[in-house]
Amino acid sequence: SMAVVGLAVGFAVGYLLRGPAGGGSAAPVATGQQPGAPAMGSSQEAGQPQQPTPEQLAAAAEQHAAPLLAKLQSNPKDAAVLIQLGNVYYDAQLYPKAIDYYQRALAVTPKNASVRTDMATAMFYTGDVDHSIAEFDIALKDNPTDGNALFNRGIVKWQGKMDIDGALADWNKLLKEDPSFQNADQVRKYIEEAQKHRNIKPGQKTDKPAM
C-alpha cells in the first residue's frame, strides 16, 4: 500500500493507544512525530535517546519474535503467543504483520475486545480506515465500555472520516462510562479540538493531511 505512515499529521491528535491485550499497560503509541506537533508527553530533555530507525525496530522485533515463533511451532493455535507476536510487531510499527497475528489470535478467541481493538488500530495505521472502524464496532459489541476501543474509534472517525459527531459521541460515552479513564484529560482535549474543526466549512475539507 502507499506510504500512509504520516496519517495522523495535521491534527492535534498525537497517538492512539495499544491496549493491554498482552498483559502490558496501554501505552501511548507515537504516530511518526511530525514537526510542529505538540510533542505529547515527550519532554525535550537533554541527552534524550535518538528515535530508532524503522530498520532497527524491525531487527529488534524479529529478535523478540524468534522465541515466540519457536513456541508456535509446537502449538500454532496458542492465542497468548499469537497475541504477544502481534504486540511485538505492532510496537515495531510492522502493522501488516501485527494484523496477521492478531487475526490468527482472534480465530481462537474471537471475543477478545482488546486484541480486536489493537488490530483495528493497526489497520488504521495501514490506511485501511473502513476495516478499522468495522473491527472497532465488533470489539465494542463484545465489550461496549472498552475505553481504548472508544478512545481509538473516536480518533479514527475524526481523522479517517472527518466524522466529528461520531468521534464526539464515542469520547463523551467514554467519559461517562469510565470517568477514571487513564487518558481522560487527553479525551477532553480531543473533544475541544474536534469541536473547533466542526466550524470548518465542508468546502475547506482537504483530503491530504495539513503539514
Side-chain angles (χ1 to χ4, degrees):
S1 69
M2 288 168 60
V4 279
V5 180
L7 205 59
V9 298
F11 297 102
V13 177
Y15 57 78
L16 285 81
L17 300 174
R18 177 163 79 65
S25 67
V29 177
T31 60
Q33 289 302 307
Q34 66 269 34
M40 306 274 187
S42 67
S43 51
Q44 299 302 315
E45 289 149 28
Q48 210 179 21
Q50 282 298 113
Q51 285 282 16
T53 65
E55 292 73 23
Q56 286 169 327
L57 281 172
E62 293 309 339
Q63 217 174 345
H64 284 126
L68 295 166
L69 290 165
K71 270 191 198 171
L72 219 49
Q73 295 291 311
S74 56
N75 182 5
K77 291 195 167 172
D78 186 329
V81 173
L82 289 164
I83 292 165
Q84 279 178 286
L85 279 161
N87 292 345
V88 164
Y89 289 120
Y90 182 115
D91 290 341
Q93 298 171 18
L94 297 168
Y95 299 116
K97 274 191 166 180
I99 291 164
D100 182 42
Y101 284 104
Y102 289 146
Q103 276 174 332
R104 287 166 64 180
L106 287 164
V108 184
T109 59
K111 296 278 184 198
N112 191 324
S114 298
V115 172
R116 198 174 291 280
T117 293
D118 290 347
M119 182 175 78
T121 306
M123 286 171 168
F124 172 66
Y125 283 137
T126 66
D128 192 352
V129 174
D130 291 335
H131 276 125
S132 172
I133 289 176
E135 294 296 339
F136 281 126
D137 291 349
I138 296 169
L140 284 159
K141 236 179 228 144
D142 292 335
N143 183 358
T145 59
D146 186 299
N148 283 353
L150 286 165
F151 181 96
N152 287 1
R153 187 174 71 175
I155 293 175
V156 173
K157 282 179 176 178
W158 179 22
Q159 292 193 1
K161 291 285 186 192
M162 277 307 272
D163 174 9
I164 289 171
D165 289 336
L168 291 171
D170 279 349
W171 293 331
N172 284 318
K173 179 176 182 187
L174 166 54
L175 292 176
K176 187 173 158 243
E177 300 284 352
D178 186 2
S180 62
F181 183 64
Q182 56 171 357
N183 290 282
D185 288 347
Q186 198 63 55
V187 176
R188 289 184 194 98
K189 272 193 199 126
Y190 291 170
I191 287 172
E192 207 178 303
E193 198 67 33
Q195 280 170 333
K196 283 183 201 155
H197 277 179
R198 212 192 217 145
N199 304 328
I200 297 172
K201 310 270 185 301
Q204 290 173 263
K205 196 173 86 176
T206 166
D207 289 326
K208 54 180 188 294
M211 292 310 280

